[in-house]
Amino acid sequence: MDPYKYRSSSAYNAPFWTTNSGAPVYNNNNSLTVGTRGPILLEDYHLVEKLANFDRERIPERVVHARGASAKGFFEVTHDISALTCADFLRAPGVQTPVIVRFSTVIHERGSPETLRDPRGFAVKFYTREGNFDLVGNNFPVFFIRDGMKFPDMVHALKPNPKSHIQEDWRIMDFFSHHPESLHMFTFLQDDIGVPQDYRHMEGSGVNTYTLVNKAGKAHYVKFHWKPTCGVKSLLEDEAIKIGGANHSHATQDLYDSIAAGNYPEWKLFIQTIDPDHEDRFDFDPLDVTKTWPEDILPLQPVGRLVLNKNIDNFFAENEQLAFCPAIIVPGVYYSDDKLLQTRIFSYADTQRHRLGPNYLQLPANAPKCAHHNNHYDGFMNFMHRDEEIDYFPSRYDPARHAAQYPIPPFRLSGKRDKTVIEKENNFKQPGERYRSWAPDRQERFINRIVGGLSDPRVTHEVRSIWVSYWSQADKTLGQKIASRLNVKPNY
């Protein structure tokens, strides 16, 4: 019997109850006892196994992005970008690649309402012929911080108070008062789009700067953008309270019901590119994740479309065990020196090894769908059937060899070891431009949200003054309006 062929699967269900080892269970209702009233015997292996499995049914939830929903579908190339990349799944218009996508909130717990003001995760796993590609992003194109060194501190500040387990504005205002780079992100989070109507009506962004590499080895920095074909829709405060009070899983249900009804969500993929030789032409650092690339200078280029046309079969297997990592790339796509991306390359895989185990990439949702081969053996929960005798490389008994050479950006590196900030911080220009682009009523709602956060009784006068100064540097009128409502003078 081939043990791999008959591995555990609901497709091989027996007509009767069994233990995990396959032994028939003649009574799944009553414990084995001494007499009719007990005590219960420890030798009731089925009872012990059933309880032990139940006790371990929950795995650690994600520290961030714990609340999420997934769906499956395909990505189809619609425009030729083969001059920019040698990635096989982008080789020509018409090429389709299976995908699984996970949407999520970021800060709140696994059972939290989906109507809370929070960034949304937008993660896409492409099952390509040359391995998986994880494009792990958010619904906003920028982020709070530009260096992953501060990521644990940032999350702690946004998470509930460790003493009371209550999320509190004063902690958030205190932390980010030290990081004026966060202003741009707050113009998204505290804008009307801070609470998407559902997952189908929100944009997505790769956030980080990646690199596309063509067959000749020429590299271009790239940003990825998802645009929903059904448009962007959001919830204002009263709407969010009403919907969240009636159904705390409204976005998950909307995604599931829409796909079940044949109303398949669709997004268009666009990219922006920069020649690395031109990166010094801007008044910001293109690798700074707190900045957007101006579309009037660097226009959006269409690439393809993403269609979600199949619901997941099991929430645990294809949502809770679904794992993403920005380090998982394919030939033709590479990293950049984006400081946040560089830390995510390590952190994401590390957290999945903690949550799911060292062999988490063997789980069906995470495993590549192409042939793959390496000498990574054993470890916890390794369920790959192997019968090879050679577990080392190289060997004359194993025909496996190095893959064809794929180009990697040949950037020349120089500099001294040092811990420094990005030189072109320019923290205030883009937040001010974004605020001024809004209609007056939208500006007013944004101001009310900012003032609400700064009105927390535990926010000190010093912190309020700092924030008023920051917003004044972004836009003088904005700073004045916030200052007047808080009765604070800017302190430059």
Side-chain angles (χ1 to χ4, degrees), residues 128-389:
T128 88
R129 301 193 306 181
E130 293 186 321
N132 291 351
F133 171 42
D134 286 359
L135 182 54
V136 193
N138 287 336
N139 65 322
F140 302 146
V142 295
F143 202 61
F144 292 102
I145 54 172
R146 58 170 67 100
D147 191 321
M149 175 69 83
K150 300 305 299 180
F151 190 82
D153 302 286
M154 180 203 76
V155 172
H156 288 169
L158 290 165
K159 287 280 191 180
N161 185 323
K163 181 176 181 179
S164 64
H165 200 67
I166 298 172
Q167 188 182 36
E168 296 169 324
D169 286 331
W170 68 270
R171 290 163 40 83
I172 299 171
M173 295 295 100
D174 172 37
F175 174 77
F176 287 110
S177 71
H178 298 273
H179 301 282
E181 69 212 59
S182 66
L183 260 67
H184 201 189
M185 181 65 166
F186 277 108
T187 65
F188 286 88
L189 180 61
Q190 299 293 2
D191 183 18
D192 289 350
I193 62 172
V195 183
Q197 176 177 292
D198 49 59
Y199 295 131
R200 291 184 299 125
H201 291 89
M202 72 178 194
E203 296 182 340
S205 172
V207 183
N208 294 111
T209 300
Y210 287 85
T211 306
L212 294 181
V213 190
N214 65 16
K215 292 180 180 179
K218 174 60 181 176
H220 284 85
Y221 292 142
V222 63
K223 292 268 197 182
F224 296 97
H225 303 277
W226 298 106
K227 304 288 185 182
T229 58
C230 59
V232 175
K233 296 182 181 179
S234 305
L235 300 175
L236 297 182
E237 281 76 359
D238 291 346
E239 297 171 304
I241 291 171
K242 181 179 179 180
I243 292 173
N247 181 2
H248 75 287
S249 299
H250 83 285
T252 295
Q253 183 168 358
D254 174 82
L255 180 68
Y256 191 94
D257 290 349
S258 296
I259 295 174
N263 181 21
Y264 301 140
E266 182 174 335
W267 287 260
K268 302 294 186 184
L269 177 63
F270 296 86
I271 60 172
Q272 291 174 286
T273 60
I274 293 178
D275 188 322
D277 294 337
H278 302 159
E279 64 178 315
D280 293 331
R281 296 182 178 182
F282 305 94
D283 61 1
F284 62 92
D285 190 324
L287 306 187
D288 180 353
V289 294
T290 69
K291 304 293 186 293
T292 54
W293 293 0
E295 294 180 16
D296 57 337
I297 302 174
L298 304 164
L300 296 176
Q301 306 173 50
V303 177
R305 67 188 186 114
L306 168 70
V307 179
L308 300 181
N309 59 4
K310 188 177 188 305
N311 279 311
I312 56 176
D313 300 308
N314 179 271
F315 184 83
F316 181 77
E318 296 180 299
N319 186 288
E320 289 305 294
Q321 290 194 134
L322 181 59
F324 294 88
C325 176
I328 296 179
I329 57 174
V330 290
V333 180
Y334 204 70
Y335 319 116
S336 75
D337 291 338
D338 175 338
K339 287 189 175 185
L340 189 68
L341 175 61
Q342 290 284 319
T343 50
R344 293 177 79 206
I345 288 171
F346 163 76
S347 181
Y348 276 61
D350 187 56
T351 195
Q352 305 302 356
R353 294 185 187 104
H354 165 68
R355 290 183 61 245
L356 303 172
N359 290 302
Y360 76 95
L361 289 176
Q362 290 184 18
L363 293 166
N366 303 322
K369 307 311 175 192
C370 61
H372 55 287
H373 179 89
N374 56 51
N375 289 329
H376 300 167
Y377 272 76
D378 305 340
F380 289 108
M381 300 304 291
N382 189 317
F383 55 89
M384 179 177 288
H385 172 67
R386 307 189 77 152
D387 59 7
E388 301 96 340
E389 294 184 278

Side-chain angles (χ1 to χ4, degrees), residues 68-85:
S70 303
K72 296 181 281 191
F74 65 89
F75 174 78
E76 180 181 18
V77 179
T78 57
H79 292 73
D80 186 2
I81 62 166
S82 58
L84 290 169
T85 177

